[in-house]
Amino acid sequence: MTTEAVSQGHQARPRTKLPLHWLGVLPFAAFVILFLIMPTMKIVIGAFQRPDGSFTLDNIGGLFTPSIMAAYWISIKISLASAILGCLIGFGVAAAVVLGGLPQWIRGPLLTFSGVASNFAGVPLAFAFLATLGPVGLLTVFLKTQLGIDLRLLGFNLLSFWGLTVTYLFFQIPLMILIITPALDGLKREWREAASILGATNAQYWRLVAFPILLPSILGTMALLFANAFGAVATAIALTGSSLNIVPILLFAQIRGDVLGDPHLGYALAFGMIAVTGVANALYIWLRARSERWLK
């Protein structure tokens, strides 16, 4: 082979270029690695370690003590209650806007507010509800002084099971609206017209056509809302402190660094929360994929 042929062969090879279009995702990748993957791995590893670093299953076994099991059960009940109520109320609001007779100009502000409210949590949300429905909150005092209605005598306490559930609804309902609105938009007009031509009533259309199509989206969103409430830490701690025995508060008590805390038991508690929310999110992804078959 001549020198000229070798030179032409080298020139024919495509040069390896730096994929500059990937540089845009580097900040996101760094964020995910530093604040999601690495802390998760730290939790998983720490759940199976003693303070000296040796392997143990005692931390996982500690999760099955009566007090911790009771905390998990209360957290599951609060998450289920807020998820079910959030789905019912959010679906009703979204259906009224998308399919009902409400003016179309309401849709834009509603979705904008839902996008903001679905991410409004933590200390600001807890303070807002304490200032409104707390023992000396604005609405509590108004109902008692002006209307003679004492929420305490009626059994409502913001620092309780139903109080935390109502607080969670502030971000659960908007999240349901955001997720179910595209599913409602995906219901084709031809399906309703075909059902009407075949003699189906509006109730039969919803029972036999629309609801079965929307069911995977509704159940998937409910699973997502469950995971969203189960993993809410800052709101529960800021609102109830230590008055309600739920997993996030137990977790905070174990890892805050005082002499009575057990960080590795805290890792095990967080590992259990990851397992529960992971199952809920996996269920959401699976159901979401099923619903998209019809709504594409």
Side-chain angles (χ1 to χ4, degrees):
M1 183 179 296
T2 64
T3 305
E4 183 179 356
V6 172
S7 177
Q8 291 177 352
H10 283 294
Q11 291 178 358
R13 295 177 183 176
R15 294 182 179 180
T16 303
K17 296 182 179 181
L18 181 65
L20 297 178
H21 55 280
W22 285 99
L23 294 178
V25 299
L26 286 181
F28 173 74
F31 181 85
V32 170
I33 292 172
L34 291 175
F35 296 98
L36 183 61
I37 297 178
M38 292 181 64
T40 301
M41 294 305 298
K42 174 66 175 177
I43 289 172
V44 173
I45 294 173
F48 296 93
Q49 284 184 331
R50 295 187 178 93
D52 60 3
S54 59
F55 176 81
T56 183
L57 292 175
D58 293 341
N59 300 321
I60 302 299
L63 297 180
F64 297 94
T65 58
S67 61
I68 294 180
M69 291 296 293
Y72 269 100
W73 179 235
I74 294 175
S75 295
I76 289 173
K77 289 194 295 183
I78 292 175
S79 301
L80 278 175
S82 65
I84 293 172
L85 290 175
C87 278
L88 292 175
I89 299 173
F91 181 84
V93 174
V97 173
V98 177
L99 304 174
L102 293 179
Q104 284 299 311
W105 61 265
I106 295 180
R107 175 172 177 149
L110 175 65
L111 293 180
T112 301
F113 170 78
S114 297
V116 175
S118 62
N119 293 287
F120 185 72
V123 176
L125 179 61
F127 174 77
F129 270 82
L130 283 172
T132 305
L133 288 171
V136 292
L138 178 64
L139 184 59
T140 304
V141 174
F142 174 80
L143 291 175
K144 185 175 181 180
T145 58
Q146 301 299 323
L147 302 178
I149 301 175
D150 192 338
L151 295 180
R152 287 274 190 172
L153 294 180
L154 294 177
F156 178 80
N157 180 11
L158 190 61
L159 311 180
S160 65
F161 174 91
W162 284 111
L164 189 58
T165 300
V166 170
T167 305
Y168 281 176
L169 288 179
F170 187 87
F171 55 79
Q172 296 283 65
I173 294 173
L175 184 58
M176 175 65 178
I177 294 173
L178 287 176
I179 296 177
I180 205 63
T181 296
L184 291 171
D185 285 332
L187 292 176
K188 295 181 174 59
R189 182 188 301 177
E190 292 83 354
W191 298 341
R192 181 185 289 273
E193 292 175 350
S196 179
I197 291 172
L198 293 174
T201 63
N202 187 55
Q204 289 174 326
Y205 163 74
W206 275 99
R207 181 170 59 88
L208 300 175
V209 180
F211 185 72
I213 293 174
L214 292 173
L215 184 59
S217 293
I218 295 173
L219 294 178
T221 307
M222 188 182 298
L224 182 64
L225 295 184
F226 173 87
N228 192 40
F230 193 83
V233 178
T235 302
I237 294 175
L239 184 66
T240 65
S242 58
S243 62
L244 194 61
N245 185 35
I246 59 177
V247 178
I249 294 177
L250 284 184
L251 174 60
F252 176 74
Q254 296 298 329
I255 65 174
R256 62 186 172 184
D258 58 21
V259 295
L260 298 177
D262 184 355
H264 290 275
L265 180 59
Y267 290 147
L269 286 166
F271 177 73
M273 293 181 66
I274 292 173
V276 173
T277 55
V279 171
N281 282 304
L283 183 61
Y284 163 72
I285 294 172
W286 178 67
L287 289 170
R288 188 72 178 177
R290 288 181 60 88
S291 66
E292 288 177 352
R293 297 177 185 177
W294 286 96
L295 299 176
K296 284 183 179 180

